[in-house]
PDB file of all heavy atoms in Angstrom:
ATOM      1  N   ALA A 121    -198.186 128.162 -72.972  1.00 78.00           N
ATOM      2  CA  ALA A 121    -198.471 128.266 -71.511  1.00 78.00           C
ATOM      3  C   ALA A 121    -199.613 129.233 -71.297  1.00 78.00           C
ATOM      4  O   ALA A 121    -200.573 128.992 -70.632  1.00 78.00           O
ATOM      5  CB  ALA A 121    -197.359 128.594 -70.622  1.00 78.00           C
ATOM      6  N   ILE A 122    -199.571 130.376 -72.025  1.00 76.00           N
ATOM      7  CA  ILE A 122    -200.558 131.429 -71.946  1.00 76.00           C
ATOM      8  C   ILE A 122    -201.977 130.919 -72.416  1.00 76.00           C
ATOM      9  O   ILE A 122    -202.999 131.248 -71.868  1.00 76.00           O
ATOM     10  CB  ILE A 122    -200.082 132.715 -72.595  1.00 76.00           C
ATOM     11  CG1 ILE A 122    -198.990 133.426 -71.855  1.00 76.00           C
ATOM     12  CG2 ILE A 122    -201.310 133.677 -72.783  1.00 76.00           C
ATOM     13  CD1 ILE A 122    -198.437 134.548 -72.517  1.00 76.00           C
ATOM     14  N   GLU A 124    -203.029 127.907 -72.462  1.00 72.00           N
ATOM     15  CA  GLU A 124    -203.518 126.794 -71.628  1.00 72.00           C
ATOM     16  C   GLU A 124    -203.929 127.187 -70.233  1.00 72.00           C
ATOM     17  O   GLU A 124    -204.685 126.519 -69.609  1.00 72.00           O
ATOM     18  CB  GLU A 124    -202.584 125.631 -71.626  1.00 72.00           C
ATOM     19  CG  GLU A 124    -202.293 124.944 -72.948  1.00 72.00           C
ATOM     20  CD  GLU A 124    -201.281 123.892 -72.951  1.00 72.00           C
ATOM     21  OE1 GLU A 124    -200.611 123.836 -71.809  1.00 72.00           O
ATOM     22  OE2 GLU A 124    -201.224 123.134 -73.858  1.00 72.00           O
ATOM     23  N   THR A 125    -203.345 128.281 -69.706  1.00 72.00           N
ATOM     24  CA  THR A 125    -203.583 128.689 -68.293  1.00 72.00           C
ATOM     25  C   THR A 125    -203.881 130.082 -68.203  1.00 72.00           C
ATOM     26  O   THR A 125    -203.558 130.932 -69.018  1.00 72.00           O
ATOM     27  CB  THR A 125    -202.360 128.315 -67.427  1.00 72.00           C
ATOM     28  OG1 THR A 125    -201.285 129.106 -67.953  1.00 72.00           O
ATOM     29  CG2 THR A 125    -202.020 126.827 -67.520  1.00 72.00           C
ATOM     30  N   ALA A 126    -204.474 130.533 -67.144  1.00 81.00           N
ATOM     31  CA  ALA A 126    -204.737 131.870 -66.818  1.00 81.00           C
ATOM     32  C   ALA A 126    -203.431 132.495 -66.362  1.00 81.00           C
ATOM     33  O   ALA A 126    -202.665 131.897 -65.731  1.00 81.00           O
ATOM     34  CB  ALA A 126    -205.801 132.034 -65.712  1.00 81.00           C
ATOM     35  N   VAL A 127    -203.150 133.760 -66.811  1.00 86.00           N
ATOM     36  CA  VAL A 127    -201.965 134.481 -66.471  1.00 86.00           C
ATOM     37  C   VAL A 127    -202.316 135.537 -65.403  1.00 86.00           C
ATOM     38  O   VAL A 127    -203.208 136.318 -65.501  1.00 86.00           O
ATOM     39  CB  VAL A 127    -201.378 135.183 -67.712  1.00 86.00           C
ATOM     40  CG1 VAL A 127    -200.146 135.985 -67.316  1.00 86.00           C
ATOM     41  CG2 VAL A 127    -201.094 134.235 -68.840  1.00 86.00           C
ATOM     42  N   CYS A 128    -201.533 135.454 -64.285  1.00 88.00           N
ATOM     43  CA  CYS A 128    -201.639 136.367 -63.165  1.00 88.00           C
ATOM     44  C   CYS A 128    -200.465 137.287 -63.074  1.00 88.00           C
ATOM     45  O   CYS A 128    -199.321 136.793 -62.896  1.00 88.00           O
ATOM     46  CB  CYS A 128    -201.919 135.634 -61.892  1.00 88.00           C
ATOM     47  SG  CYS A 128    -203.424 134.625 -61.835  1.00 88.00           S
ATOM     48  N   ARG A 133    -205.480 139.500 -64.013  1.00 92.00           N
ATOM     49  CA  ARG A 133    -205.635 138.054 -64.338  1.00 92.00           C
ATOM     50  C   ARG A 133    -206.250 137.876 -65.719  1.00 92.00           C
ATOM     51  O   ARG A 133    -207.369 138.426 -65.950  1.00 92.00           O
ATOM     52  CB  ARG A 133    -206.570 137.337 -63.297  1.00 92.00           C
ATOM     53  CG  ARG A 133    -206.686 135.903 -63.509  1.00 92.00           C
ATOM     54  CD  ARG A 133    -207.600 135.274 -62.383  1.00 92.00           C
ATOM     55  NE  ARG A 133    -207.700 133.799 -62.539  1.00 92.00           N
ATOM     56  CZ  ARG A 133    -208.528 133.142 -63.424  1.00 92.00           C
ATOM     57  NH1 ARG A 133    -209.350 133.812 -64.175  1.00 92.00           N
ATOM     58  NH2 ARG A 133    -208.470 131.810 -63.480  1.00 92.00           N
ATOM     59  N   PHE A 134    -205.530 137.276 -66.582  1.00 93.00           N
ATOM     60  CA  PHE A 134    -206.008 137.102 -67.923  1.00 93.00           C
ATOM     61  C   PHE A 134    -206.108 135.636 -68.306  1.00 93.00           C
ATOM     62  O   PHE A 134    -205.166 134.945 -68.299  1.00 93.00           O
ATOM     63  CB  PHE A 134    -205.013 137.743 -68.956  1.00 93.00           C
ATOM     64  CG  PHE A 134    -204.700 139.233 -68.687  1.00 93.00           C
ATOM     65  CD1 PHE A 134    -203.399 139.638 -68.741  1.00 93.00           C
ATOM     66  CD2 PHE A 134    -205.695 140.089 -68.338  1.00 93.00           C
ATOM     67  CE1 PHE A 134    -203.095 141.023 -68.473  1.00 93.00           C
ATOM     68  CE2 PHE A 134    -205.423 141.423 -68.056  1.00 93.00           C
ATOM     69  CZ  PHE A 134    -204.107 141.924 -68.150  1.00 93.00           C
ATOM     70  N   ASP A 135    -207.385 135.165 -68.720  1.00 90.00           N
ATOM     71  CA  ASP A 135    -207.570 133.873 -69.215  1.00 90.00           C
ATOM     72  C   ASP A 135    -207.991 133.996 -70.719  1.00 90.00           C
ATOM     73  O   ASP A 135    -209.163 134.264 -71.048  1.00 90.00           O
ATOM     74  CB  ASP A 135    -208.701 133.259 -68.456  1.00 90.00           C
ATOM     75  CG  ASP A 135    -208.854 131.769 -68.733  1.00 90.00           C
ATOM     76  OD1 ASP A 135    -208.536 131.360 -69.869  1.00 90.00           O
ATOM     77  OD2 ASP A 135    -209.228 131.050 -67.846  1.00 90.00           O
ATOM     78  N   PHE A 136    -207.032 133.808 -71.546  1.00 87.00           N
ATOM     79  CA  PHE A 136    -207.237 133.924 -73.001  1.00 87.00           C
ATOM     80  C   PHE A 136    -208.052 132.897 -73.569  1.00 87.00           C
ATOM     81  O   PHE A 136    -208.911 133.107 -74.503  1.00 87.00           O
ATOM     82  CB  PHE A 136    -205.906 134.091 -73.686  1.00 87.00           C
ATOM     83  CG  PHE A 136    -205.101 135.359 -73.425  1.00 87.00           C
ATOM     84  CD1 PHE A 136    -204.176 135.371 -72.529  1.00 87.00           C
ATOM     85  CD2 PHE A 136    -205.362 136.510 -74.159  1.00 87.00           C
ATOM     86  CE1 PHE A 136    -203.421 136.526 -72.163  1.00 87.00           C
ATOM     87  CE2 PHE A 136    -204.778 137.680 -73.874  1.00 87.00           C
ATOM     88  CZ  PHE A 136    -203.746 137.658 -72.918  1.00 87.00           C
TER      89      PHE A 136
END
Side-chain angles (χ1 to χ4, degrees):
I122 288 173
E124 293 179 347
T125 61
V127 179
C128 297
R133 183 179 184 277
F134 305 138
D135 188 330
F136 290 94

